Amino acid sequence: MHIDMKGICKSFSSVPILKNVDFSLTDGEVHALMGENGAGKSTLMKVLTGVYTRDAGEILIDGKPVSFNHPKEAEEAGVVFIYQELNTMNDLTVEENMFMGKEIKKAFGVADRKAMIARARETIERLGVRINPRAVMRSLSVGQQQMVEIAKALLADVKVLIMDEPTAALSPSETKVLFRVIEQLKKDGVSVIYISHRMEEIFELCSRITVLRDGQFIATKNIAETDMTDVVRMMIGRDIGARFPERQAKIGDVLFEVEGLTQKGVFEDISFQVRSGEVLGVAGLMGAGRTEIMQAIFGNPPCEKGRIRIGGREVHIRMPRDAIKYGMGFITEDRKLEGLLLNDSITTNIALNNLGIISEHGILQKAKEKSLVAEAIVKLSIRCSSEKQRCGELSGGNQQKVVFAKWMSTEPRVLILDEPTRGVDVGAKKEIYSIINQLAENGAGDTNHDDQQK
Ligand SMILES: Nc1ncnc2c1ncn2[C@@H]1O[C@H](COP(=O)(O)OP(=O)(O)OP(=O)(O)O)[C@@H](O)[C@H]1O
Ligand SMILES: [Mg+2]
């Protein structure tokens, strides 16, 4: 299938988001769509698939003008969008998710479960993965849930598959499986539009790349004709130099120490020390219990056994509030579930974590609040219409920056970071690393657990 998008414009409450964007896709290619957080990648794909209506421009499929009014119409034409945040029904089974809204029926309109399970099994097998169609979605890993979404797309006779940061939550081995599946789809003549902030993946997987910057089309190039430095320059309009900032922190005394932490069946006898100024990396396979250990240290839920010492003094953390009281901070891996109030503004989200700094004698100081939030927006270059914008309206990467901003200003002594740069673009990643370094230079000890490719 051949897609041509020409001169696409889209505004939200009169703020232009897409400005005259061109995009084209040919048969059986894997086409990377790149750009900074908030550049308009997801929005462009939503315009293509009828989630949003465009204000101007045209879309041609195999030379014919089309306008999808609803994602369902796009799906019927073979254009399927797998969203940045997966859209599965966790309490339903794999088969129910795959056939939702398009059940196979027997005579008299009775759902033919047996036929659907067989079709589901067959389709999943085509992907070369093993997932039981009767399994409940909740019991699957994120990688498996994603495979179910792809299988669902295959059922709809997909010709163009759009994947928005599909590997953000995948382990390296799940990523391999996904890449193999994409190769297979390509052989079957399916085209893929691939959005990712992970440079290495783009160069491994894609044949062409289109870059957006601030809602504008910058260029479409053959992968062979570009390299990482060039892509970064197109994305942010300048060189950023090394992808990791230099480090100058002086390592001091042991600041944070855990000993023999145990949670039966989850982790056992975990001990480590972090010195002030130190950034400790915690590595391990997905599912190895890294997140659970860090959550337990933070009191969510507390450990069954073991000791925690801060600055040589033993502390008892029974709930997250205790941890915060001892000067600890936590940046979570799942911004949607734990980190952010999506219906509230950027200001509210940042302010809630910093009431101590922005109030005097229990009274909120509006001016202080304003300057704190303004500073965070500049420091992390959070792209937003104003500090009053609802977090749910921000692009994925900008939501992650707000999560970071919430904790950054509290100047924690010990900060736990669980995949802090998920979905964050190259430029902002570097800013976040710099802030981590700065916090460390000021004497904090970080435990940073991040298995992203950087
Ligand atoms: N429904 C909406 N209402 C208001 N503004 C929106 C809405 N959806 C997106 N935006 C704004 O449009 C801009 C582009 O967002 P989009 O989600 O397309 O970015 P993106 O390139 O996908 O970024 P990321 O890499 O962070 O996912 C952002 O500034 C965002 O705040
Ligand atoms: Mg996006």
Side-chain angles (χ1 to χ4, degrees):
M1 185 183 273
H2 200 104
I3 295 183
D4 255 311
M5 301 179 81
K6 288 188 198 156
I8 302 294
C9 297
K10 175 73 189 168
S11 299
F12 288 110
S13 31
S14 71
V15 180
I17 298 297
L18 296 176
K19 306 161 194 165
N20 213 12
V21 174
D22 296 337
F23 179 78
S24 75
L25 184 75
T26 59
D27 277 334
E29 74 165 326
V30 183
H31 194 129
L33 182 57
M34 290 199 78
E36 286 182 283
N37 298 129
K41 305 175 296 292
S42 301
T43 304
L44 184 67
M45 292 300 109
K46 286 179 183 165
V47 165
L48 171 61
T49 52
V51 178
Y52 298 143
T53 38
R54 58 187 183 270
D55 302 335
E58 60 174 345
I59 303 177
L60 305 173
I61 291 191
D62 295 330
K64 287 191 207 79
V66 293
S67 273
F68 301 125
N69 295 310
H70 192 273
K72 256 214 142 89
E73 289 181 24
E75 205 177 297
E76 278 157 18
V79 182
V80 180
F81 192 177
I82 300 182
Y83 297 102
Q84 203 160 355
E85 320 279 349
L86 294 176
N87 232 345
T88 53
M89 298 288 175
N90 283 335
D91 292 320
L92 300 184
T93 66
V94 168
E95 169 261 323
E96 285 164 339
N97 265 282
M98 284 174 66
F99 283 92
M100 206 183 322
K102 45 189 171 203
E103 277 106 347
I104 302 176
K105 302 242 165 83
K106 290 195 272 205
F108 313 114
V110 184
D112 190 347
R113 283 266 95 87
K114 230 171 147 182
M116 287 189 276
I117 288 177
R119 260 314 279 296
R121 180 164 292 132
E122 202 180 286
T123 317
I124 293 168
E125 272 170 15
R126 216 181 116 191
L127 294 174
V129 292
R130 258 167 211 276
I131 298 168
N132 181 356
R134 294 177 201 270
V136 177
M137 274 313 245
R138 188 181 298 289
S139 69
L140 305 182
S141 73
V142 180
Q144 290 173 319
Q145 292 181 5
Q146 205 163 45
M147 289 298 153
V148 173
E149 292 246 359
I150 298 175
K152 190 173 162 189
L154 290 180
L155 276 183
D157 197 14
V158 62
K159 297 195 179 68
V160 173
L161 187 63
I162 305 163
M163 306 183 108
D164 201 346
E165 297 192 34
T167 57
L170 299 192
S171 67
S173 61
E174 285 176 323
T175 301
K176 264 203 193 120
V177 174
L178 178 73
F179 283 14
R180 210 196 53 229
V181 167
I182 291 176
E183 288 298 329
Q184 182 60 44
L185 292 173
K186 209 163 84 179
K187 281 196 197 115
D188 296 343
V190 176
S191 318
V192 177
I193 302 174
Y194 192 85
I195 303 177
S196 173
H197 289 292
R198 298 185 176 180
M199 290 284 178
E200 287 80 1
E201 292 179 356
I202 301 293
F203 283 88
E204 184 177 340
L205 203 61
C206 304
S207 48
R208 289 202 297 163
I209 174 170
T210 293
V211 177
L212 302 183
R213 189 198 311 152
D214 199 14
Q216 269 166 329
F217 171 83
I218 300 298
T220 297
K221 290 190 178 180
N222 288 324
I223 277 292
E225 289 160 9
T226 182
D227 57 28
M228 283 190 203
T229 318
D230 183 39
V231 172
V232 171
R233 198 179 305 129
M234 288 194 285
M235 278 172 63
I236 59 184
R238 60 185 164 85
D239 284 328
I240 58 163
R243 279 157 82 193
F244 292 92
E246 268 184 48
R247 290 199 279 183
Q248 273 137 14
K250 279 202 198 68
I251 310 295
D253 296 335
V254 172
L255 174 66
F256 183 74
E257 195 175 0
V258 305
E259 202 186 312
L261 296 187
T262 299
Q263 202 93 287
K264 276 246 159 55
V266 191
F267 52 84
E268 216 157 304
D269 202 14
I270 306 291
S271 303
F272 60 80
Q273 293 180 333
V274 190
R275 293 171 176 274
S276 74
E278 196 169 47
V279 180
L280 172 77
V282 180
L285 286 178
M286 196 147 282
R290 296 166 307 177
T291 294
E292 288 75 8
I293 294 169
M294 295 307 152
Q295 294 268 14
I297 291 175
F298 212 66
N300 184 29
C303 293
E304 287 161 3
K305 242 169 75 185
R307 291 164 192 275
I308 301 176
R309 279 187 288 268
I310 299 179
R313 225 182 75 211
E314 182 161 355
V315 294
H316 296 280
I317 297 171
R318 286 174 214 89
M319 55 179 105
R321 199 190 309 160
D322 296 336
I324 294 169
K325 204 177 69 200
Y326 291 121
M328 294 178 65
F330 198 117
I331 294 178
T332 54
E333 123 181 279
D334 193 338
R335 58 179 169 264
K336 223 172 177 180
L337 276 183
E338 303 174 70
L340 269 198
L341 306 172
L342 290 178
N343 278 324
D344 286 299
S345 67
I346 299 175
T347 299
T348 307
N349 270 285
I350 297 178
L352 270 182
N353 250 39
N354 291 285
L355 290 175
I357 306 174
I358 57 177
S359 40
E360 266 167 37
H361 312 299
I363 298 163
L364 184 74
Q365 304 290 310
K366 277 278 171 201
K368 274 195 180 162
E369 177 184 84
K370 221 177 156 127
S371 69
L372 180 84
V373 174
E375 190 189 310
I377 289 175
V378 171
K379 238 185 181 158
L380 291 165
S381 40
I382 298 172
R383 189 159 305 178
C384 52
S385 56
S386 82
E387 74 283 0
K388 295 196 194 78
Q389 192 168 15
R390 276 191 332 114
C391 283
E393 284 176 8
L394 298 180
S395 77
N398 281 298
Q399 290 181 3
Q400 187 62 7
K401 293 187 203 172
V402 176
V403 173
F404 213 90
K406 281 173 45 171
W407 291 102
M408 192 183 73
S409 338
T410 63
E411 298 186 351
R413 291 175 77 195
V414 179
L415 182 62
I416 302 175
L417 306 157
D418 192 350
E419 305 242 18
T421 58
R422 171 177 294 176
V424 169
D425 67 52
V426 270
K429 267 195 188 125
K430 190 167 176 182
E431 288 162 33
I432 287 181
Y433 299 144
S434 300
I435 288 167
I436 294 173
N437 287 345
Q438 251 173 48
L439 289 168
E441 276 162 36
N442 295 343
D446 297 339
T447 55
N448 181 358
H449 133 215
D450 179 352
D451 65 0
Q452 281 220 13
Q453 303 170 8
K454 289 168 215 155

